[in-house]
């Protein structure tokens, strides 16, 4: 059995973790899971009780949740240079924006998509993210520069935020602001990102006419 096992489905958020694994460059085994009974089997629930992908098992230890997996892999494989060194001042921004993408951004966009928005200032104040507009404005400010989120070097925080923004803009769940598009294009043009897309697209189910669902 491989030291690093990746549980995925190409039609899921696991595509973000595939990209991270390709950036890391360590060998890994891929297990493609089908939605439904297989993800709810006792064997997989022992890895992720939520019955969802992505998940990894590294040296016998399971890790779930996309942002957590990305942060874990960055620390587990430091030679890839995907996280600022412990104690470096850039580590603060790295944590800040990784958790911002996993928390306020995803929550605000998901709630707005389902019509769950604050009715007044009091309700908005009770929400950790305030409003989707406020979340977008905050990200736009930080993404206007030419560097990356935690300085000059690309990190797992950039990867995770770019993956989130790319998905949300693709389905019109967030405004397609110029700063967002520029950031996503820069990140997704990296060789590892291209490689990951090619791998996952090849795993997509065939559609009528011979085209894959990801084409």
């Amino acid at each position: 059995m491989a030291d690093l096992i990746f549980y995925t489905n190409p039609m899921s958020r696991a595509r973000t973790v595939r990209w991270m694994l390709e950036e890391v460059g360590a060998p890994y085994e891929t297990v493609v899971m089908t939605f439904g009974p297989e993800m709810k089997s006792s064997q997989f629930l022992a890895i992720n009780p939520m019955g969802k992908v992505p998940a990894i098992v590294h040296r016998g230890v399971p890790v779930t949740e996309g942002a957590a997996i990305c942060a874990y892999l960055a620390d587990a494989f430091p030679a890839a240079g995907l996280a600022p060194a412990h104690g470096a001042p850039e580590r603060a921004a790295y944590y800040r924006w990784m958790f911002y993408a996993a928390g306020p951004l995803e929550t605000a966009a998901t709630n707005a998509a389902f019509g769950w928005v604050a009715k007044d200032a009091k309700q908005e104040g009770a929400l950790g993210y305030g409003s989707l507009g406020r979340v977008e404005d905050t990200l736009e400010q930080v993404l206007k520069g030419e560097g990356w989120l935690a300085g000059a070097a690309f990190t797992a925080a950039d990867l995770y935020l770019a993956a989130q923004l790319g998905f949300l803009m693709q389905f019109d769940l967030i405004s397609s602001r110029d700063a967002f598009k520029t950031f996503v294009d820069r990140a997704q043009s990296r060789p590892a990102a291209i490689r990951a897309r090619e791998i996952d697209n090849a795993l997509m189910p065939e559609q009528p006419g011979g085209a894959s669902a990801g084409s």
Side-chain angles (χ1 to χ4, degrees), residues 40-65:
K40 309 304 179 185
S41 67
S42 58
Q43 293 90 338
F44 187 64
L45 290 177
I47 296 168
N48 185 1
M50 292 288 289
K52 294 177 177 290
V53 293
I56 65 168
V57 175
H58 183 220
R59 296 175 180 171
V61 178
V63 187
T64 66
E65 310 312 313

Side-chain angles (χ1 to χ4, degrees), residues 28-188:
Y28 63 93
E29 175 186 340
T30 297
V31 179
V32 178
M33 306 288 293
T34 56
F35 295 111
E38 186 176 22
M39 287 192 193
K40 309 304 179 185
S41 67
S42 58
Q43 293 90 338
F44 187 64
L45 290 177
I47 296 168
N48 185 1
M50 292 288 289
K52 294 177 177 290
V53 293
I56 65 168
V57 175
H58 183 220
R59 296 175 180 171
V61 178
V63 187
T64 66
E65 310 312 313
I69 294 171
C70 289
Y72 173 86
L73 289 171
D75 285 345
F77 299 94
L82 293 167
H86 287 279
E90 292 83 4
R91 192 88 178 178
Y94 170 77
Y95 281 131
R96 178 184 182 185
W97 298 114
M98 174 77 81
F99 286 100
Y100 194 88
L105 174 58
E106 180 163 0
T107 304
T110 300
N111 286 354
F114 286 104
W116 301 333
V117 296
K119 297 179 180 178
D120 51 39
K122 183 177 180 180
Q123 285 190 354
E124 185 175 306
L127 296 173
Y129 58 84
S131 68
L132 179 58
R134 186 174 297 177
V135 169
E136 292 178 348
D137 289 345
T138 300
L139 283 175
E140 185 175 36
Q141 290 300 313
V142 76
L143 295 180
K144 280 184 175 179
E146 295 183 357
W148 295 106
L149 292 170
F154 178 87
T155 69
D158 298 293
L159 184 155
Y160 190 78
L161 177 58
Q164 288 278 70
L165 287 176
F167 173 83
L168 294 172
M169 289 192 294
Q170 179 183 357
F171 293 99
D172 297 321
L173 300 176
I174 194 172
S175 302
S176 294
R177 304 190 184 191
D178 289 343
F180 299 169
K181 291 186 287 186
T182 298
F183 176 75
V184 170
D185 288 346
R186 285 175 62 212
Q188 293 189 346

